[in-house]
Amino acid sequence: MLEIRNLHAKVDGREILQGLDLVINAGEMHAIMGPNGSGKSTLSYVLAGRDGYEVTAGSVLFEGHDLLALKPEERARAGIFLAFQYPVEVPGVPSATFLKTAVNAVRKARGEKEYDAFEFLKLMKAKRDALGMSEDMLKRPLNVGFSGGEKKRNEVLQMALLEPRFMVLDETDSGLDVDALRVVAAGINALRRADRAMLVITHYQRLLDHVRPDVVHILSKGRIVRSGGPELALELEAKGFAGVMPGAAA
Amino acid sequence: MAALARKPATTIPFGYGAEAVARPNEPAWLTSKRAAARAVLAAGLPSPRVESWKYTNLQAFATQAFAMLSDGPADAPLALLKQTTIDRPSHRVVFVDGRFAPALSNVGAVPSGVTIRSLDDAISSDEFVVARRFGALADASSNAIAALNAAHGSGGVVIALARGASLTEPVHLVFIATASDRAMAFHPRVLIEAGEGSALTLIESHVSEAGAYWSNPVAEIAVARDATVRHWTLQDQARDATHLALNAVSLAQGARYESVLLAIGAGLARHEFDVAIEGEHAEVSLDGGYLIGGTQHSDHTTRIVHKVGHASTREVYKGVLDGRARGVFQGTIVVEPGADKTDAHQLSRTLMLSVGAEADAKPELMIYADDVKCSHGASSGALDPAQLFYLRSRGIGEAAARALLVEGFIAETIERIADEKVRAYFTRAAGDGLRAHGGALS
Ligand SMILES: Nc1ncnc2c1ncn2[C@@H]1O[C@H](COP(=O)(O)OP(=O)(O)O)[C@@H](O)[C@H]1O
Ligand SMILES: [Mg+2]
């Protein structure tokens, strides 16, 4: 589904991604773990198409098409979703208005019928309840005054509503207490399907107790230095990043 | 609709003399007030050399020829009547081309102690009271907009609430300008007296067909002890129009005045507030939003004087500027000697959508008391790229994302309107305004 080959990307003139290779097939969930500053968020922004993240070499194919040629909104409509590490506050734009605009923009692009206000409210209520979010929260401006945990739930809500094919979750677990983590993890698991794939970026094993990745990768200095099964995350938890780097004493 | 049969219009000369031109059936006090105003204007309209008119130049405006409608039937295009319809009950007072249109108005039953009358009616039944209020707050000797209105004015509305009286439904003043082969001028005067402990919600709509005209409304609003006046104004006039407006307000002890102004229209517009806080524990809240493009000029000049202490002012102006539009915010807050424990905060923000637009912000706090909490801030910037990317990453196209952000910026002003239906009316106008600017003013 997603094929990243020899990806190099610069931010502010500095090369952050330095030859990253990653192939994710439909139905799979991959996890990327790596120290702060290793380029995890940079990778997620490059995939989502943020300005200022300049790809200097390599390619990204999404279902065989050149993802990097698309604008951010075209990527979203094609089925790419990024749950932001730091969701952006947008004063003055009610969450519900934003959600409806986004969902209908995506549906329209996919040739599906746009929801009317009533249909949308019904849909939103169902998804919202599953994530334990109040109606009042969605009347408030997008992410403004939301706690860290509320922002992350809101990301998962958007993901559930947009029904993407490929999802990148950038530290969606950080800032969540144990209960919220369980709810968010359930939201993520509910989206797993044979025709979808996920890339979960995290710092901690803790999320991986709830969502079970098929493959775990270690990212260091803009490159994947080790890949393995779920046991790699446990090893990392025990030994720290230095201990799992290739060449480290076993 | 059928063409209007109009009586001949008189042309406004911008050269003034001090001579009193009495109008038929006009009381002598009004003639003399107009004469006094003309005497003030004889020195000419304010030039950019006058500090408070530094950013707004009336010289080109004053070369235009305007005509005043002496009389004739008042009728209005259905589209504008519909456009100004709010989906809630209100006492609707309609003016067409500056004249009260009883047939289009709809003032419901009001509680005892409340009167809503045309200025002419009020003069004939309560001349003494009107004479006392007219010009009491809008000072023609120091304010050019007040002087122009007094010099040329005819018509208006008088709303009075006796002690403890409250109107549950808002009064909606609708000022409609129709297309005309001559550029017309309107100078309505609105006199509001909110008696002790009374409550009034006033909505003002200024709308028009396309065309050039001059709208020059002046409102004098006296808010007595513990009374509340909410004042929500939509200025959505034709791009060729000139709009020179003044709201002169006084507050007694414990009084509240809350204004929300949304200014979308007119080629050249100046919206002035002149607020005098006369009593302790009075509260003033002024919100202004302007949404302009092309070559529009929108000036917001406010002056709030804290004459006594223990009162508060909250003032937030937000402008969206596209094309070669120019926005002006001049906010003066004066805290007079002895007005301790004054709490006054002012903020001006502009969103610049093009490099050709210009914003001038001149906050001015003049504080002559010691123990006060006052602040002001002004900022100006483009749309936030992080917000834009966030919206686009959810599938929203760039133009739609920009429009959402601009609407969101202005929505913070509109949200200050406490009534949901009125809020919806303003939101619709802002949305239409955005679209009229050609796709998110981009
Ligand atoms: N917008 C930016 N401007 C400048 N440097 C950036 C920017 N974003 C990321 N970086 C730098 O790129 C490196 C990788 O950052 P990031 O991808 O956020 O790491 P991670 O998510 O793994 O913690 C860091 O050194 C960071 O300082
Ligand atoms: Mg990161």
Side-chain angles (χ1 to χ4, degrees), chain A residues 48-50 72-73 76-77 81-82 84 88-93 98 102 105-106 142-143 155 158, chain B residues 384-387 389-400 404-405 407-409 411-412 415:
Chain A
R50 184 171 192 158
E73 58 269 36
R77 294 166 189 169
F81 183 92
L82 166 62
F84 282 54
V88 180
E89 299 190 3
V90 188
V93 178
F98 156 73
V106 165
L142 181 54
N143 292 328
E155 293 293 289
Q158 292 168 37
Chain B
D384 179 356
Q387 293 178 351
F389 171 64
Y390 188 61
L391 299 186
R392 293 177 70 191
S393 79
R394 299 309 186 230
I396 301 173
E398 188 173 0
L404 262 184
L405 292 178
E407 281 182 55
F409 183 81
E412 290 190 308
E415 268 155 29

Side-chain angles (χ1 to χ4, degrees), chain B residues 186-322:
Chain B
F186 332 119
H187 312 268
R189 173 81 51 147
V190 177
L191 301 177
I192 309 279
E193 187 142 303
E196 206 175 306
S198 67
L200 170 70
T201 298
L202 185 68
I203 306 165
E204 255 183 71
S205 298
H206 299 267
V207 299
S208 71
E209 294 184 301
Y213 59 94
W214 172 24
S215 139
N216 175 213
V218 167
E220 300 186 75
I221 303 172
V223 194
R225 191 173 169 150
D226 297 326
T228 297
V229 173
R230 288 167 164 167
H231 190 183
W232 303 324
T233 306
L234 171 65
Q235 188 273 98
D236 189 7
Q237 311 201 78
R239 291 290 190 93
D240 292 330
T242 299
H243 182 78
L244 300 177
L246 166 67
N247 290 309
V249 184
S250 77
L251 290 94
Q253 186 177 323
R256 278 189 71 82
Y257 175 71
E258 287 173 30
S259 165
V260 178
L261 165 70
L262 178 64
I264 301 169
L268 172 64
R270 173 149 160 140
H271 315 81
E272 281 193 32
F273 282 84
D274 196 346
V275 181
I277 297 176
E278 312 274 359
E280 291 184 347
H281 305 292
E283 292 177 35
V284 173
S285 169
L286 298 186
D287 279 275
Y290 45 106
L291 199 59
I292 52 173
T295 57
Q296 283 181 287
H297 181 110
S298 196
D299 173 328
H300 300 268
T301 294
T302 68
R303 181 180 169 86
I304 300 162
V305 182
H306 285 256
K307 297 188 173 177
V308 297
H310 298 276
S312 72
T313 289
R314 167 194 168 282
E315 183 176 23
V316 181
Y317 271 74
K318 303 184 77 176
V320 179
L321 310 180
D322 199 5

Side-chain angles (χ1 to χ4, degrees), chain A residues 11-12 14 16 35-43 53 85 171:
Chain A
V11 184
D12 268 358
R14 233 180 85 210
I16 306 296
N36 269 333
S38 58
K40 302 184 298 294
S41 292
T42 301
L43 171 63
Y53 288 73
Q85 181 177 4
E171 298 203 27

Side-chain angles (χ1 to χ4, degrees), chain A:
Chain A
M1 177 173 267
L2 190 80
E3 276 183 59
I4 305 177
R5 301 284 180 203
N6 187 34
L7 188 62
H8 289 255
K10 274 186 180 172
V11 184
D12 268 358
R14 233 180 85 210
E15 185 161 80
I16 306 296
L17 299 184
Q18 313 186 17
L20 190 140
D21 290 287
L22 183 62
V23 176
I24 302 178
N25 298 308
E28 293 179 349
M29 175 188 282
H30 288 221
I32 286 192
M33 306 180 82
N36 269 333
S38 58
K40 302 184 298 294
S41 292
T42 301
L43 171 63
S44 67
Y45 285 143
V46 167
L47 294 178
R50 184 171 192 158
D51 277 346
Y53 288 73
E54 186 198 348
V55 173
T56 51
S59 63
V60 179
L61 296 184
F62 176 57
E63 301 191 314
H65 301 286
D66 178 8
L67 184 70
L68 301 177
L70 302 181
K71 296 177 187 172
E73 58 269 36
E74 293 168 341
R75 297 181 195 201
R77 294 166 189 169
I80 301 279
F81 183 92
L82 166 62
F84 282 54
Q85 181 177 4
Y86 302 109
V88 180
E89 299 190 3
V90 188
V93 178
S95 298
T97 306
F98 156 73
L99 290 171
K100 182 162 176 265
T101 309
V103 168
N104 278 338
V106 165
R107 289 183 67 86
K108 190 175 171 193
R110 295 179 187 162
E112 296 162 352
K113 192 177 115 8
E114 292 177 53
Y115 290 122
D116 63 29
F118 180 74
E119 291 167 327
F120 184 74
L121 278 178
K122 229 173 87 181
L123 175 73
M124 192 170 66
K125 183 176 181 331
K127 305 277 186 195
R128 195 188 75 207
D129 287 350
L131 286 162
M133 295 170 71
S134 68
E135 182 180 2
D136 168 68
M137 215 173 114
L138 297 183
K139 284 186 178 157
R140 280 159 33 199
L142 181 54
N143 292 328
V144 177
F146 285 28
S147 70
E150 286 173 330
K151 285 181 184 168
K152 296 303 176 80
R153 284 178 205 233
N154 199 14
E155 293 293 289
V156 177
L157 174 70
Q158 292 168 37
M159 190 164 79
L161 286 167
L162 292 172
E163 305 190 311
R165 306 282 312 284
F166 181 76
M167 294 152 254
V168 183
L169 294 108
D170 190 357
E171 298 203 27
T172 301
D173 51 338
S174 57
L176 296 184
D177 61 29
V178 185
D179 292 332
L181 182 67
R182 203 168 288 130
V183 172
V184 163
I188 295 170
N189 285 326
L191 287 164
R192 288 197 70 170
R193 243 172 40 189
D195 61 344
R196 291 179 176 157
M198 291 189 188
L199 178 61
V200 177
I201 294 171
T202 183
H203 250 319
Y204 311 103
Q205 164 63 28
R206 140 184 132 115
L207 175 68
L208 304 184
D209 290 338
H210 295 90
V211 302
R212 309 287 303 164
D214 304 295
V215 188
V216 175
H217 307 275
I218 309 288
L219 186 73
S220 174
K221 301 200 178 91
R223 213 190 262 244
I224 287 177
V225 294
R226 238 190 108 177
S227 301
E231 70 287 347
L232 181 55
L234 295 169
E235 189 187 334
L236 175 71
E237 182 91 340
K239 297 184 186 165
F241 282 112
V244 297
M245 297 297 266

Side-chain angles (χ1 to χ4, degrees), chain B residues 239 263-267 269 288-300 317-329 348-361 379-383 402 406-407 409-410 434 437 440-442:
Chain B
R239 291 290 190 93
I264 301 169
Y290 45 106
L291 199 59
I292 52 173
T295 57
Q296 283 181 287
H297 181 110
S298 196
D299 173 328
H300 300 268
Y317 271 74
K318 303 184 77 176
V320 179
L321 310 180
D322 199 5
R324 292 190 292 122
R326 187 168 182 191
V328 177
F329 173 74
S348 157
R349 288 180 60 199
T350 46
L351 186 55
M352 312 297 284
L353 297 183
S354 82
V355 286
E358 185 182 335
D360 298 294
S379 70
S380 182
L383 285 173
R402 289 172 68 94
V406 171
E407 281 182 55
F409 183 81
I410 283 296
L434 261 172
H437 279 291
L441 298 95
S442 59

